[in-house]
Every structure is written in C-alpha cells, then in structure tokens.
Amino acid sequence: MHSESNAGLYPQGVTVLGATGSIGLSTLDVLARHPDRYRVFALTAHRSIELLAELCQRHSPRYAVLADVQGVGELRTRLAALGCSTQVLGGAQAMIDVAAAAEAPVVMAAVVGAAGLLPALAAVRAGKRVLLANKEALVMSGRLFMDAVRSHGATLLPIDSEHNAIFQCLPPAMQAGSGVDRGITRILLTASGGPFRDAPLDTLANVTPDQACAHPNWSMGRKISVDSATMMNKGLELIEAHWLFGLAPAHIDVVIHPQSVIHSMVEYVDGSVLAQLGNPDMRTPIAHALGWPQRIVSGVSPLELCKIGRLDFSAPDFTRFPCLRLAYAALEAGGTAPAVLNAANEVAVEAFLQGRIRFTDIASLNEYVLTHVNSQAASDLEIVLAADVRARDEAKARLHTLER
C-alpha cells in the first residue's frame, strides 16, 4: 500500500469527503483531539445543509462542498449568518477538485456508495494519503483503483474496521507495500450477523426498515445498516479485501462473531492466527490510519474483556444471507460483475427504505440483475461506469414486479 514520509510539517490539511455521515463525524471527532497535527481543509456532504453548516462553524474549513447544487445558496446564507468565512462550492466536480487539492495531503473518503468512486480516485491520482471508507470504490474498479495507487505513489489505508484490522495484523514490510512472500494462508472477516442473525427465516419478509437499521453493535447510516442486515456489506468487504490484500476468494472466509470485538483475523502458514480486538467504535481505525505508522489517541474507551466474558463464532448461512453468496459469485465472475451487483443493491436498498419492496426482495432483485447484465472486462473506468448505469436501469425496470 506504499510507504510515505512523516517528515512533513504539522498541522496537515485534511479533507473529509462525506463529513456529515457517521464516518465523517467520527473523523472530525478524532481530528479535533489533535489540533497540533491536523487542520480541516474541506468538508463535503450530499445535501445535509444544517449539519454541514454546524460543522463549518466548529472546524472552520476553507471549503464546504454540497454535491446537491440546489442547496448551495441556502448553505451560503446560513454560513454568512454564523459569521463563518468558509467558501461554499457545489456539484460533483467540486468534490473531485477538493479531493485533489494540494493543500490537503490527507483525504478521508467516506462518501457512501458509487458516488464516492471519482472523488476517491482523484485523491489517489494526486498521490495523497487516502483513508478509504468507501468500499464501493474497490468493489467497482478494484484493479484500476489499485493500479492508480501504485502508479501515483498514493498511500491507501483501509478504514472499514475489518480491513483495518487485517492491515494491523500484517507484517510491517507488507503494510508499507513490499514483501512478496507474505506467508498468509487465509483472511477471516468477522461479521456481527446483524439484527436478524437468529430471527426465524419466515419472518424476514415482513421486517421493517427501522428494524433492519437497528444494528446491535454499531452506529451507522441507514444504507450500510440495511447492508449489514442482509450481509451484503460483508460481501462488499469480501471483494474489497481481495483487492486490498491480493488473496483469492477461496482464501477469504467470513465468520459470524456477534460481539464485534475481534474485527478480523489473519492466518499464517505456521499456524499462527493474528487478530485485532477493540470496542466497536470507528474512531479506532480512523485514528490508526491518521497516525500510521505512529499511534494517536482516538477517544475510544478501553476494551474490558472480563466484562465481555465470551467470544462466539459460527459460519454464515447462505440461505439466511443470500447476498453474501451473490458477492462470492460476483467476485469469482470478475470484470464488471461486482460493479453490477453493487449498483443493483443500491437501487434495491433505497426501494426497501422507501417501503416499496420487502426485505427479502433485496436479494432477489440483486440476483436478477447480476444474472441479466453481462459482465465485461473492467479494462477502463468508462466501462465500469457504463456497467453501473446498465445495472441501475435493469434494477429499476425490475422493481415494478416486486413493488408492494
């Protein structure tokens, strides 16, 4: 993942893409604990005007970017009333521009979904330290994205708790992007199983969006919470792990671990299994990536193993979690298949959250689109983006047969 010098002068400028989401807010919490090391250069959001205005007042970034240009005027008015001098920009290109701006050598890529691909890629092409929380960037364009990391000398640090845990369990040489003979036999991605891991299968069709978003361990946005409930989130992480760490699907296993204390494990040829443990708080991987290779304070409370008492593990059931099976199938198919699956899932989850389809329809819609949109070689970004559009069109056309 490439080494970088830590000799740069502090404080370092940081851009937070997706500042109003749960990862963005956790990032700002960690940054605020280290004003001598970091300063906020730019904050972006989709359309959360009120919250973005509050964050600008608190962190005084040079730029605030709204992807939804219709809210730009209102945000400017709010900031003026607050006496905040932050400059407001709007639109997708503005997000790309602040991601690439030289004044911020560190970028937190935390935009949810396919919309986060181009800004994250812009930061990579600018040779920055990129803290990647947007798994869809690698799901959609894994080989292209990783090639860009290498060719532009970027430093890519994973923020998903599972991938950050794996990174922490790697030898230092491999963390720095060198060392071919790694001696790794298997990666074990842990998963809580979400709110329905023990629910009777015949009740899943009738669960509500609020029930699906009630994650037992983590505080997350609604889209990723639904993905956790279907385990599509773990499927996307499976694909992301393949590209980050270079292991074939057969060497990446998913393990249900309800306590969410072990965040993932790495198995080596000598029989050793290294695990990273911690409380389920995203500030831990965020602080790790910000400070790497040093350690900095995150604000997370210490792990009390004696209070936890037990750690449980079980294999995932593909009957209960068909989306995980589809992710394995998409990764095996390769090419644009992962991008197709991701696009279908974004349409399906949005429809479920709107009450238009049942919870169990998410997997059936994903499978339909994955089997009806042919996979192509993902040889350039235009092909990937075109596959994303085709998959969304196919999913939307299919929705009317499922709508309640």
Side-chain angles (χ1 to χ4, degrees):
M1 261 154 270
H2 194 268
S3 177
E4 67 176 12
S5 170
N6 287 294
L9 296 176
Y10 290 116
Q12 287 186 316
V14 180
T15 288
V16 182
L17 305 173
T20 58
S22 61
I23 298 294
L25 294 174
S26 293
T27 301
L28 291 169
D29 179 89
V30 176
L31 292 174
R33 296 172 189 273
H34 302 276
D36 56 325
R37 293 179 66 103
Y38 308 106
R39 58 179 176 80
V40 177
F41 172 74
L43 301 176
T44 83
H46 181 54
R47 62 165 68 96
S48 300
I49 297 171
E50 183 175 355
L51 179 53
L52 185 57
E54 293 176 9
L55 295 176
C56 288
Q57 185 181 29
R58 191 179 312 155
H59 299 281
S60 303
R62 185 182 303 180
Y63 296 104
V65 181
L66 277 177
D68 184 355
V69 295
Q70 294 182 346
V72 167
E74 182 181 345
L75 180 59
R76 285 177 177 152
T77 300
R78 283 179 177 268
L79 292 181
L82 293 170
C84 181
S85 61
T86 297
Q87 183 177 344
V88 179
L89 306 173
Q93 185 58 50
M95 291 184 63
I96 292 171
D97 291 342
V98 296
E103 294 92 335
V106 180
V107 173
M108 166 57 77
V111 174
V112 176
L117 169 58
L118 293 181
L121 191 56
V124 165
R125 287 172 173 167
K128 300 191 176 194
R129 172 182 286 226
V130 180
L131 282 55
L132 188 67
N134 173 265
K135 60 180 64 66
E136 291 84 359
L138 283 174
V139 170
M140 294 175 66
S141 64
R143 187 179 303 280
L144 295 170
F145 197 91
M146 295 306 294
D147 285 349
V149 169
R150 287 184 282 268
S151 62
H152 293 279
T155 299
L156 186 65
L157 295 165
I159 297 300
D160 275 344
S161 61
E162 296 80 2
H163 304 90
N164 183 267
I166 293 163
F167 183 86
Q168 293 195 50
C169 293
L170 298 179
M174 189 179 169
Q175 289 183 346
S178 61
V180 176
D181 185 12
R182 300 168 294 184
I184 295 173
T185 55
R186 189 168 52 138
I187 283 173
L188 296 102
L189 289 172
T190 57
S192 71
F196 308 132
R197 63 176 173 255
D198 299 317
L201 290 176
D202 60 4
T203 66
L204 295 182
N206 296 318
V207 302
T208 67
D210 284 343
Q211 289 172 326
C213 291
H215 195 281
N217 301 335
W218 295 91
S219 175
M220 305 180 293
R222 289 176 71 79
K223 195 271 182 183
I224 193 173
S225 294
V226 174
D227 282 348
S228 179
T230 65
M231 279 193 73
M232 177 56 83
N233 190 51
K234 203 56 50 179
L236 299 179
E237 290 174 3
L238 159 76
I239 300 169
E240 183 181 8
H242 164 72
W243 291 113
L244 281 172
F245 307 114
L247 268 71
H251 297 281
I252 307 173
D253 289 345
V254 173
V255 178
I256 302 292
H257 169 50
Q259 292 86 2
S260 296
V261 169
I262 294 179
H263 298 303
S264 276
M265 295 169 272
V266 178
E267 179 184 84
Y268 288 88
V269 293
D270 61 2
S272 298
V273 177
L274 302 186
Q276 187 265 337
L277 286 71
N279 283 319
D281 190 319
M282 288 305 298
R283 290 178 297 174
T284 295
I286 291 166
H288 171 265
L290 281 169
W292 182 82
Q294 301 173 350
R295 298 276 181 170
I296 64 173
V297 171
S298 67
V300 177
S301 58
L303 180 65
E304 301 285 353
L305 284 173
C306 292
K307 291 183 179 179
I308 295 167
R310 58 183 287 175
L311 301 174
D312 298 301
F313 307 93
S314 62
D317 177 2
F318 284 169
T319 302
R320 179 178 297 275
F321 300 115
C323 284
L324 183 57
R325 170 180 57 80
L326 294 175
Y328 271 104
L331 182 54
E332 290 283 3
T336 57
V340 167
L341 179 60
N342 177 71
N345 185 65
E346 289 191 13
V347 173
V349 171
E350 182 180 14
F352 168 68
L353 288 171
Q354 293 171 348
R356 297 166 59 195
I357 62 174
R358 296 180 184 272
F359 179 76
T360 48
D361 291 333
I362 296 173
S364 61
L365 181 60
N366 289 342
E367 185 158 22
Y368 177 88
V369 176
L370 188 61
T371 56
H372 283 77
V373 177
N374 293 330
S375 178
Q376 299 177 267
S379 54
D380 61 55
L381 198 57
E382 288 70 26
I383 291 174
V384 171
L385 296 176
D388 176 87
V389 171
R390 285 198 306 277
R392 290 173 193 275
D393 289 344
E394 189 74 38
K396 291 171 183 175
R398 180 68 174 174
L399 270 179
H400 75 276
T401 66
L402 300 172
E403 287 181 329
R404 304 169 69 174

